[in-house]
């Protein structure tokens, strides 16, 4: 399987916010730019005109535009960004130091009230990746989800320390996640 996944365009008015499931808007021209980028990539590489997106509007808006161009579009809740629960949509500066410290002490297992942990995000991402067909898949998702999928593809678990979390991919950046070949069985005489 090969997954081509793009990070959504940059949303508006989110500077300094804890942004997970908060449904932040994106300028229409930025959505069109990414839709055109994906359409050109698919045409050039003879890929299917099928797109999977997170249900959050910063990703789903791209799917909607591609659907208007005749693409098949599937909204996929498994592609949503991590759910930060009671932190979601709030300024990081409003989240108590004690809560941030608790997260850092148990980076993989901590979940803000009503949210999900990194371990839960990893389980959700792995479950979706395990169900992908052998043919190439195109998707639009979020930085946290993409980082989790890249770590999973490299055989890694959710990091125990914040310092081990990879840098976010850029807005509108394409990431390729492929199966890694299985090592051949040892030769038997």
């Amino acid at each position: 399987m090969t997954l081509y996944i793009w990070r959504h365009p940059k949303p508006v008015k989110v500077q300094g916010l804890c942004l997970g499931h908060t449904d932040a808007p994106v300028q229409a021209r930025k959505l069109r730019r990414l839709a055109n980028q994906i359409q050109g990539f698919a045409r050039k590489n003879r890929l299917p005109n099928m797109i999977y997106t997170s249900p959050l509007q910063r990703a789903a808006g791209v799917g909607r535009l591609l659907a208007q161009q005749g693409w098949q579009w599937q909204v996929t809740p498994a592609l949503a960004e991590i759910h930060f629960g009671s932190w979601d949509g709030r300024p990081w500066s409003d989240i108590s130091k004690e809560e941030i410290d608790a997260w850092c002490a148990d980076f993989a297992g901590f979940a803000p009230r009503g949210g999900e942990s990194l371990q839960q995000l990893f389980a959700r991402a792995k479950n979706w990746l395990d169900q992908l067909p052998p043919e190439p898949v195109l998707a639009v998702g979020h930085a946290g989800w993409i980082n989790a999928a890249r770590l999973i593809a490299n055989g890694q678990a959710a990091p125990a320390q914040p310092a081990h979390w990879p840098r976010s991919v850029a807005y509108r950046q394409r990431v390729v996640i492929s199966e890694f070949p299985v090592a051949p069985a040892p030769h038997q005489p």
Side-chain angles (χ1 to χ4, degrees), residues 58-159:
R58 55 193 188 266
V62 177
R64 188 174 297 104
L65 289 170
L66 289 169
Q68 292 169 358
Q69 297 297 316
W71 282 51
Q72 293 179 338
W73 170 37
Q74 185 170 337
V75 176
T76 307
L79 286 170
E81 184 59 285
I82 190 168
H83 193 323
F84 281 111
S86 62
W87 295 4
D88 227 305
R90 291 176 49 203
W92 281 105
S93 59
D94 286 356
I95 300 167
S96 75
K97 181 183 179 329
E98 292 76 24
E99 288 179 286
I100 297 292
D101 288 347
W103 183 27
C104 291
D106 184 14
F107 190 63
F110 178 85
R113 191 175 75 264
E116 68 183 327
S117 68
L118 267 183
Q119 289 169 334
Q120 290 169 312
L121 171 64
F122 270 61
R124 177 165 49 90
K126 184 172 183 337
N127 184 51
W128 191 75
L129 291 167
D130 285 347
Q131 295 177 36
L132 290 181
E135 59 270 3
V137 170
L138 287 75
V140 180
H142 306 273
W145 194 99
I146 293 169
N147 277 346
R150 290 190 317 182
L151 290 169
I152 291 165
N154 287 322
Q156 296 175 281

Side-chain angles (χ1 to χ4, degrees), residues 143-188:
W145 194 99
I146 293 169
N147 277 346
R150 290 190 317 182
L151 290 169
I152 291 165
N154 287 322
Q156 296 175 281
Q161 300 295 319
H164 297 144
W165 186 248
R167 169 173 262 148
S168 293
V169 299
Y171 293 109
R172 296 181 31 236
Q173 181 180 339
R174 181 183 70 240
V175 172
V176 181
I177 298 170
S178 298
E179 285 181 321
F180 292 91
V182 176
H187 178 68
Q188 299 198 358

